[in-house]
Amino acid sequence: MLFDPKFRSQFQDIRCYDDKEVGLAIAHPEFQSAISNLLGSLFQIDGVAMSRLFRAKTLDDVTAWIVQELVSIVETTTSGMQISGLDTLSKDQAYVFVSNHHDIAMDPILINLALTRNGFPTCHNAIGDNLLQNHLSQEVAKFNKCFRVNRTTRSPKAMLLSLKHQSEYIQYLNRELNQNVWIAQQEGRSKNRNDVTNPALIKMLSLST
C-alpha cells in the first residue's frame, strides 16, 4: 500500500510509515538489535523468525508477520477466542472499528487476527502519545500501522485542533485509501465492564465530515 504525498506532508506528525519507508527503516542495525532484544525477552521470538521480519518490505508484510508469530501466544495463553459479526460486513468496504480495550499492545493484534482469519485487511490503530515516550516505541508503532493520538495537550484550542487533525487522518485512511481503522471507545483500559463509548469520540469522528 503506497501513499500519496498528502499522507507524508499533511499527516507527518501522527502517521505511520508508508510502504516506501518500511524497507529502509527496518534494515537499520540499531532498530534490528533493539527489536530483537525486545521481542526475544517478551515473546521468545527466535532468530529465524526475526530474520523473516527484517525482510519485510511493506506495512502489510509487518502486520502479517506479527499476526503469524503471535498466534501461538494467543492460543496457548487464553481459553479461546470467539469472533462474531464479521460475516455481515463486506470485504470490499473499509470500516472504523470502535471497541473497549484492555491492552494497547495486544488489542490491535487480536483485532487483526480476527480480521485476517475472516479474509479482511488489517487495521490502522490509534495509540496515545503518552505511550510513545521513547524512540523504540515510536518506531514499533509506525511499523504496526499505528497513528498518534494526542493525550498530553491541555489547552482547549490546541486540543480542538488536534482532534480535528486526527479526524481528518481517520477519514483520509478510511475514505480515500479504503483502509480499516481501529480506535478505543474511551481513554484508558476498560474497567468493571463499564464499556461505554465516550461521546467526545463520536464528536471527534465527525469533525472532518
Side-chain angles (χ1 to χ4, degrees):
M1 180 183 61
L2 298 178
F3 296 101
D4 62 26
K6 176 181 177 181
F7 181 79
R8 288 196 176 191
S9 59
Q10 184 171 334
F11 304 112
Q12 177 65 28
D13 56 331
I14 63 173
R15 69 176 178 88
C16 66
Y17 281 131
D18 67 29
D19 281 348
K20 288 185 176 180
E21 296 168 317
V22 168
L24 289 175
I26 210 167
H28 198 287
E30 289 185 8
F31 173 78
Q32 292 191 4
S33 176
I35 202 67
S36 294
N37 292 333
L38 176 65
L39 295 182
S41 61
L42 288 179
F43 302 114
Q44 288 74 55
I45 303 295
D46 61 31
V48 175
M50 290 306 308
S51 67
R52 289 197 296 271
L53 171 62
F54 297 148
R55 291 196 295 270
K57 299 298 182 184
T58 68
L59 288 173
D60 285 338
D61 288 345
V62 174
T63 52
W65 181 91
I66 291 170
V67 169
Q68 176 184 345
E69 294 301 327
L70 298 184
V71 164
S72 60
I73 296 174
V74 174
E75 293 176 340
T76 58
T77 59
T78 67
S79 58
M81 179 175 173
Q82 295 182 335
I83 305 163
S84 63
L86 289 178
D87 57 331
T88 66
L89 303 181
S90 169
K91 293 181 174 64
D92 298 323
Q93 183 175 342
Y95 299 92
V96 176
F97 296 100
V98 178
S99 74
N100 61 15
H101 86 94
H102 295 273
D103 185 300
I104 197 61
M106 284 302 297
D107 289 335
I109 293 171
L110 294 176
I111 291 166
N112 285 334
L113 175 58
L115 289 172
T116 54
R117 279 184 171 177
N118 287 272
F120 288 85
T122 55
C123 280
H124 290 255
N125 312 290
I127 183 169
D129 61 358
N130 56 305
L131 300 175
L132 303 174
Q133 297 301 308
N134 59 64
H135 180 68
L136 181 58
S137 64
Q138 294 169 18
E139 288 293 289
V140 170
K142 289 180 180 180
F143 278 115
N144 197 26
K145 291 187 177 181
C146 293
F147 59 95
R148 179 188 295 263
V149 174
N150 193 326
R151 300 291 195 204
T152 54
T153 297
R154 296 303 174 207
S155 162
K157 182 178 180 180
M159 180 59 72
L160 178 60
L161 291 174
S162 176
L163 291 173
K164 188 174 186 299
H165 190 46
Q166 179 182 318
S167 178
E168 290 170 345
Y169 183 76
I170 292 172
Q171 298 290 351
Y172 170 78
L173 289 174
N174 190 243
R175 295 183 178 180
E176 295 191 36
L177 297 181
N178 200 40
Q179 297 286 304
N180 291 322
V181 177
W182 173 78
I183 188 168
Q185 65 185 8
Q186 59 181 329
E187 183 177 354
R189 294 181 178 88
S190 175
K191 298 176 182 177
N192 302 320
R193 298 183 182 273
N194 184 22
D195 299 330
V196 179
T197 300
N198 187 337
L201 173 64
I202 306 301
K203 294 178 182 178
M204 180 277 293
L205 292 173
S206 66
L207 280 175
S208 64
T209 58

